[in-house]
Amino acid sequence: MSNPIRIEKAQPGQLRQIVGIINAGATSVRKDREFSDWQDYRAAFDALRSAPECDIYVALNEYNEVVGTFQIHFLKGIAFKGRPRVELESVHVRADRQGAGIGRAMMAHAETLARAANACVIQLTSNREREGSHPFYRKLGYDQSHLGYKKML
């Protein structure tokens, strides 16, 4: 990683940057379904931050700019004696900072959070169009063990 970064829970003043990063990385199924005004995401952001089972994190550079983001969800279940599963969503690194170790640092942070919660597994999905992301996750030890399905509503 060329410059040090900090990973912390996202704050309301960072929403505009978060939305910009997420929408810049939108795949084809989302491109025509998103709003252009970042304020349209405020209610969802506030709900995510206030829910006890999930949160949103940012990676900040030395200038306090958001250079990455991810959402973490702790899911209850019966398997593994009721230990929670962790689902990662919207893992994105700003395009001009990809390859600088930010994604690796965010994933390590998510794993630390998962271990602290005694989670049994971390799971995520990666859109088929994100071919560059798939080797990244495999290098971090993620197995492509399941076949996923989605239905847009």
Side-chain angles (χ1 to χ4, degrees):
M1 193 164 24
S2 57
N3 293 316
I5 61 156
R6 294 185 326 281
I7 299 172
E8 57 189 46
K9 288 185 180 182
Q11 299 302 313
Q14 298 163 331
L15 180 59
R16 179 183 215 140
Q17 293 176 79
I18 293 167
V19 170
I21 291 170
I22 290 172
N23 283 344
T27 57
S28 61
V29 72
R30 251 189 59 227
K31 280 189 192 270
D32 296 329
R33 294 177 179 254
E34 294 289 345
F35 303 106
S36 59
D37 185 356
W38 65 273
Q39 290 284 10
D40 292 335
Y41 295 83
R42 177 69 61 193
F45 178 79
D46 292 343
L48 185 61
R49 288 187 64 233
S50 66
E53 72 281 358
C54 56
D55 223 322
I56 182 167
Y57 282 80
V58 291
L60 301 169
N61 68 12
E62 64 273 20
Y63 306 109
N64 286 323
E65 297 171 324
V66 176
V67 293
T69 186
F70 70 91
Q71 297 167 33
I72 187 166
H73 302 262
F74 295 88
L75 308 171
K76 293 180 172 112
I78 297 293
F80 296 99
K81 300 178 184 174
R83 289 172 61 198
R85 292 174 181 260
V86 165
E87 178 87 28
L88 296 182
E89 275 290 323
S90 291
V91 179
H92 293 275
V93 173
R94 202 170 74 187
D96 66 328
R97 294 299 305 274
Q98 291 177 359
I102 295 166
R104 182 177 297 275
M106 291 192 313
M107 295 299 289
H109 192 83
E111 187 172 323
T112 298
L113 295 170
R115 288 184 192 284
N118 194 33
C120 61
V121 67
I122 298 178
Q123 57 194 33
L124 58 88
T125 59
S126 181
N127 191 291
R128 218 176 280 183
E129 294 176 29
R130 298 188 190 284
E131 293 177 5
S133 298
H134 306 157
F136 167 75
Y137 292 123
R138 284 193 290 274
K139 282 182 192 174
L140 294 180
Y142 286 79
D143 294 322
Q144 197 172 2
S145 61
H146 288 65
L147 184 61
Y149 298 90
K150 287 186 179 184
K151 183 177 184 178
M152 298 302 295
L153 303 176

